[in-house]
Amino acid sequence: MKRRGNLFRQIVALENLQLAHRNARRGKAHYAAVQEVNANEDVLLRELQWLLVAKMFRTASYRTRTIYEPKKRLIYILPYYPDRIVQHAAMNILQPIWDALFIYDSYSGIPGKGIHAAMERLSGFLEDAENTCYCLQFDIKSYYPSVDHEILLALITHKIKCRDTLWLLEDVIRSVASGKGIPIGNYLSQYFANVYLDRFDHWLKEDLHVKYYMRYNDDGVILHSNKEYLHNLWARIAEYLEKELHLSLNSRTQVYSVGARGIDFLGYRTFRDHKLMRKRSATRFKRRVREAARQDGAQEPQAVVSSVMSYVGWLQHCNCYGLLRKYLLDNVQMMAQMDMYCAELNFANPLRRMYATV
């Protein structure tokens, strides 16, 4: 495998730092930190360039907060300047290199991939009914907090030989001082997570010749015609992860018949001929609609509209037309609230346009 060098000068080029700032500020133009950089962009980006070239840059201390949906997670937050811009600058150059490494059926955080592409691929797998009778569904226990820094750096070095770039990536990786863990919330972390499991993916696809395999972050699905084969594969996967990557499988890992239950994966239940929203996702959707329909004046219009329309996007990718109509399109109170929120934001209620076409 060819190792890539001479990357750092591309990362620190002023044009790349300007692009990184443009990318990092998307959807955040109202942030005070973004506005401060906008107001003095040339000076601040040249200062950042000097910090990087002189090796004076250090990843800042994190702020943390806990979120509880879809499960309890600790989110790490870095300052916009310089940290978020630096990570975008690195990704501008490194992403094409890493994308070329990954197997086709890795879907997390990769441009052109994502949840909906993964679900379409899974539906395609299930068209081969004879060879997809059983599913091994695995989940890696505490994945992000368990990533070993030394192993991750060795895997990165296997593809990148530019010492200055490795210095920058090592600084970001070791910003968690325990020797383990990549922070959820870092822009680079999702790609670090993919790099960490890349050899595992290739081992399954190329060494073990597993045909129907796909992974999204730390969740994987393998389909096969033989239940015993999948149980044996489960043991081999557990051994590989423990020995090579110091990871273990979650207790939720299981082998089961696809049959009438379908595959509960990435927010959907996928069957051979249709998809439904996962039950707990549907429950959260109903709760969000009830919250959005409240007329207490306490909710931010942008937050409500964004949240509701994100759920609409999920519903449009599965066979949940009845759920969409009952809780949104035919819900008079909800439609009135959405009209009000959208009017405050100076655009038409998108649900009205949708109602007219269904």
Side-chain angles (χ1 to χ4, degrees):
M1 179 184 292
K2 182 180 178 181
R3 297 173 69 219
R4 299 292 295 270
N6 301 315
L7 301 172
F8 193 67
R9 60 187 178 88
Q10 300 176 54
I11 293 172
V12 302
L14 187 60
E15 296 82 0
N16 187 51
L17 295 177
Q18 291 167 340
L19 175 61
H21 171 47
R22 291 197 299 273
N23 291 340
R25 72 186 177 188
R26 286 177 185 163
K28 302 179 179 67
H30 59 290
Y31 287 16
V34 174
Q35 293 172 4
E36 287 173 10
V37 178
N38 287 340
N40 205 15
E41 180 176 334
D42 187 61
V43 171
L44 289 175
L45 293 185
R46 288 185 183 279
E47 179 183 284
L48 175 54
Q49 184 184 49
W50 180 85
L51 285 172
L52 290 166
V53 172
K55 304 285 182 64
M56 298 293 289
F57 170 82
R58 295 293 182 273
T59 301
S61 299
Y62 292 96
R63 292 189 297 110
T64 61
R65 65 185 177 92
T66 302
I67 64 172
Y68 294 91
E69 287 193 12
K71 59 185 177 182
K72 183 178 179 180
R73 292 183 297 175
L74 186 65
I75 304 299
Y76 292 76
I77 304 166
L78 284 170
Y80 178 80
Y81 179 89
D83 294 84
R84 290 179 178 270
I85 295 175
V86 166
Q87 293 200 17
H88 274 267
M91 280 297 295
N92 288 344
I93 306 306
L94 297 174
Q95 182 178 310
I97 296 170
W98 282 334
D99 283 350
L101 295 178
F102 302 144
I103 65 168
Y104 180 84
D105 287 310
S106 177
Y107 287 90
S108 176
I110 300 172
K113 296 293 185 71
I115 288 174
H116 298 306
M119 301 319 297
E120 289 301 313
R121 181 67 163 168
L122 182 58
S123 294
F125 285 175
L126 291 172
E127 290 176 3
D128 184 1
E130 183 178 349
N131 293 307
T132 58
C133 304
Y134 297 97
C135 176
L136 166 56
Q137 189 167 353
F138 66 84
D139 175 17
I140 297 173
K141 182 179 180 181
S142 302
Y143 179 47
Y144 275 69
S146 300
V147 169
D148 186 291
H149 293 175
E150 298 301 330
I151 295 174
L152 176 58
L153 286 166
L155 292 169
I156 291 172
T157 304
H158 189 69
K159 184 61 180 177
I160 295 171
K161 65 180 179 181
C162 175
R163 290 184 179 180
D164 292 334
T165 300
L166 292 172
W167 159 79
L168 177 59
L169 296 179
E170 182 171 2
D171 182 80
V172 175
I173 290 167
R174 295 197 190 281
S175 62
V176 176
S178 65
K180 281 194 172 186
I182 47 177
I184 298 174
N186 267 4
Y187 185 58
L188 280 166
S189 286
Q190 201 160 34
Y191 260 75
F192 287 155
N194 280 332
V195 170
Y196 200 75
L197 288 175
D198 179 62
R199 282 194 183 176
F200 167 71
D201 292 337
H202 284 279
W203 172 71
L204 281 173
K205 296 291 287 185
E206 295 160 14
D207 294 356
L208 301 189
H209 306 290
V210 176
K211 182 178 181 181
Y212 293 125
Y213 164 61
M214 64 190 308
R215 180 178 60 79
Y216 188 96
N217 204 1
D218 56 347
D219 296 319
V221 164
I222 299 173
L223 302 173
H224 199 269
S225 60
N226 188 287
K227 189 174 184 179
E228 183 179 355
Y229 167 86
L230 290 178
H231 276 288
N232 291 335
L233 185 59
W234 178 352
R236 295 189 68 178
I237 287 172
E239 181 182 13
Y240 181 99
L241 291 175
E242 182 177 356
K243 180 180 177 181
E244 301 293 334
L245 299 174
H246 301 171
L247 299 172
S248 59
L249 292 176
N250 197 294
S251 59
R252 289 189 294 271
T253 298
Q254 58 182 316
V255 172
Y256 56 87
S257 173
V258 173
R261 68 180 281 185
I263 300 172
D264 189 343
F265 186 56
L266 301 182
Y268 295 105
R269 284 188 295 148
T270 302
F271 300 84
R272 296 198 186 278
D273 56 356
H274 67 286
K275 287 199 295 286
L276 299 175
M277 181 178 275
R278 177 184 286 167
K279 289 182 179 179
R280 60 178 177 269
S281 299
T283 299
R284 286 199 299 269
F285 162 69
K286 295 172 187 177
R287 183 173 67 245
R288 188 68 188 99
V289 168
R290 288 194 294 270
E291 292 172 352
R294 289 202 311 263
Q295 299 179 358
D296 56 10
Q299 301 182 88
E300 289 291 332
Q302 183 64 61
V304 173
V305 173
S306 297
S307 177
V308 170
M309 294 311 297
S310 70
Y311 275 111
V312 170
W314 280 76
L315 290 166
Q316 287 181 310
H317 282 86
C318 62
N319 304 86
C320 292
Y321 175 74
L323 198 63
L324 178 63
R325 290 214 68 122
K326 179 178 179 181
Y327 286 90
L328 289 178
L329 301 184
D330 292 339
N331 185 329
V332 175
Q333 183 180 4
M334 184 62 210
M335 290 292 273
Q337 286 294 97
M338 284 290 288
D339 287 338
M340 181 186 71
Y341 291 136
C342 292
E344 290 185 38
L345 297 168
N346 296 314
F347 58 80
N349 180 0
L351 293 178
R352 293 289 180 191
R353 295 194 297 272
M354 184 179 298
Y355 185 83
T357 60
V358 297

